[in-house]
Amino acid sequence: MASQVASPSASLHTTSSSTTLSTPALSPSSPTRLSPDDLELLAKLEEQNRLLETDSKSLRSVNGSRRNSGSSLVSSSSASSNLSHLEEDSWILWGRIVNEWEDVCKKKEKQIKELVRKGIPHHFRAIVWQLLCTAQSMPIKDQYSELLKMTSPCEKLIRRDIARTYPEHDFFKEKDSFGQEVLFNVMKAYSLVDREVGYCQGSAFIVGLLLMQMPEEEAFCVFVKLMQDYRLRELFKPSMAELGLCMYQFEYMIQEQLPELYVHFQSQSFHTSMYASSWFLTIFLTTFPLPIATRIFDIFMSEGLEIVFRVGLAVLQMNQAELMQLDMEGMLQHFQKVIPHQFDSGPDKLIQASYQVKYNAKKMKKLEKEYTTIKTKEMEEQVEIKRLRTENRLLKQRIETLEKHKCSSRYSEDFVLQLEKELVQARLSEAESHCALKEMQDKVLEMEKVNQNQDPQYKVAL
């Protein structure tokens, strides 16, 4: 069984003591049938809940003790009486999962994934996210307070972007508020532990979501894990090479599964990066309202970037008919104004559609190798072009020097003839170099043209 971890009550927005949550009989729609041991556990839970204080306004704790410790697994406010039996069953189930995390993950990994796809209850998100990314016991947490005492070269940039991060959310909208300050702290601390990445605009939205669920030290640890283990660090590197790869892979999926829409995008010069870059950089946090984006983020914590590909393609499928009727400007407006509010009633339809999308992990790996090969060849040709330009410049300098010597020379006729010979040779070399340079540039232009018109498996994402 898992050792104790930080409780959801550590969230910045939870207060007060907890009250009784009645233990309902499991309905036929319950997520799982409980064993005799589980029923014994729930009986103890009910007994302990009767001893808790009343009139609470929020969930306070999920105790990480073992089953026979006598501690309550779940506490909730008196408002929980308004929950449906199914919701209460879900809370009890998640409480048991958290307390027996190690055993459950080993034996029922697939069932955990299915539960996460249905949504993690709000008050469990802080602890479950930490458990999903194994961030609950990171040594770097002890360095956090010391990092805040240091100075980061990114501080000015971070301060500039703080006001642009969730500007309408109560926790962040006030200038110099507590929310803005802890957001600054986490971004600054990360910029100090990863100086290659430093700070990248967009990452603040991910940190902001974490801070809505947990204290800043825990949010820092989770963010470090996401950067290290979830491809985010590669996405946020200055070169953003991983973002180019994601665009390349995503465009292949569009061409394969939505060929008519792919052709329409090409005819309108509507490049994938124009609408999908933010999907990958912020995991839809700047696209959908928070209740929708948070559900997607639940799955991201469990399954990684695959869910971004799935949701992205599902969105295109649902909007294909409308997009096919629009030009570039109209499509941009549709992505900015219409799509964000299509799922305000709830994300279930979108998530269900996402898992109807074909996603081939082996094909994605193959595309990654193809993309790496193409980018390597591009870099080699750019190096060759640079070499030819340098050689051409040096030849021009030598021609100028020879012509000066020829004009001012009073030397013998043999010496003059030698100078003329060297001058002719230099001019020939310059012409050859210029031709080679022109040929190389034409080749690059041809590759760019092919990149715009060929199938995605041969195309470099912009």
Side-chain angles (χ1 to χ4, degrees), residues 152-162 164-165 183-184 186-192 194-208 223 227 231-243 277-278 280-282 286:
S152 167
C154 302
E155 288 187 18
K156 187 175 180 180
L157 284 174
I158 298 171
R159 287 285 185 200
R160 181 198 67 188
D161 287 342
I162 288 294
R164 307 175 190 177
T165 307
L183 178 57
F184 172 82
V186 175
M187 300 311 305
K188 170 187 168 180
Y190 186 81
S191 72
L192 289 166
D194 186 354
R195 293 182 181 271
E196 182 183 2
V197 172
Y199 166 74
C200 181
Q201 187 180 17
S203 57
F205 284 94
I206 294 174
V207 173
F223 185 61
M227 294 293 278
R231 292 174 66 182
L232 292 189
R233 186 174 186 275
E234 301 303 313
L235 280 172
F236 287 121
K237 276 185 177 179
S239 67
M240 288 193 165
E242 192 78 2
L243 181 61
S277 293
S278 64
F280 288 87
L281 290 172
T282 68
T286 56

Side-chain angles (χ1 to χ4, degrees), residues 123-270:
H123 289 295
F124 285 92
R125 277 204 171 100
I127 190 170
V128 173
W129 284 1
Q130 290 176 69
L131 289 168
L132 284 169
C133 69
T134 65
Q136 70 273 24
S137 301
M138 291 180 66
I140 200 170
K141 185 175 182 179
D142 298 331
Q143 302 174 27
Y144 183 73
S145 59
E146 292 302 316
L147 289 168
L148 297 186
K149 298 175 184 177
M150 300 167 64
T151 301
S152 167
C154 302
E155 288 187 18
K156 187 175 180 180
L157 284 174
I158 298 171
R159 287 285 185 200
R160 181 198 67 188
D161 287 342
I162 288 294
R164 307 175 190 177
T165 307
Y166 299 114
E168 298 179 359
H169 194 283
D170 289 342
F171 191 48
F172 299 105
K173 68 181 181 182
E174 296 296 331
K175 182 175 171 53
D176 299 324
S177 64
F178 178 66
Q180 288 194 1
E181 193 59 31
V182 293
L183 178 57
F184 172 82
N185 288 346
V186 175
M187 300 311 305
K188 170 187 168 180
Y190 186 81
S191 72
L192 289 166
V193 299
D194 186 354
R195 293 182 181 271
E196 182 183 2
V197 172
Y199 166 74
C200 181
Q201 187 180 17
S203 57
F205 284 94
I206 294 174
V207 173
L209 179 67
L210 298 177
L211 288 168
M212 294 177 204
Q213 317 296 328
M214 62 191 78
E216 60 185 288
E217 294 89 348
E218 294 174 10
F220 172 67
C221 292
V222 172
F223 185 61
V224 169
K225 269 291 185 179
L226 295 181
M227 294 293 278
Q228 290 176 347
D229 299 343
Y230 286 70
R231 292 174 66 182
L232 292 189
R233 186 174 186 275
E234 301 303 313
L235 280 172
F236 287 121
K237 276 185 177 179
S239 67
M240 288 193 165
E242 192 78 2
L243 181 61
L245 170 60
C246 289
M247 296 298 99
Y248 181 75
Q249 293 170 320
F250 189 61
E251 194 163 290
Y252 171 83
M253 292 178 68
I254 299 171
Q255 196 273 340
E256 183 184 53
Q257 300 184 44
L258 301 172
E260 292 181 1
L261 185 61
Y262 171 79
V263 171
H264 179 64
F265 282 169
Q266 294 296 305
S267 69
Q268 295 294 320
S269 298
F270 193 61

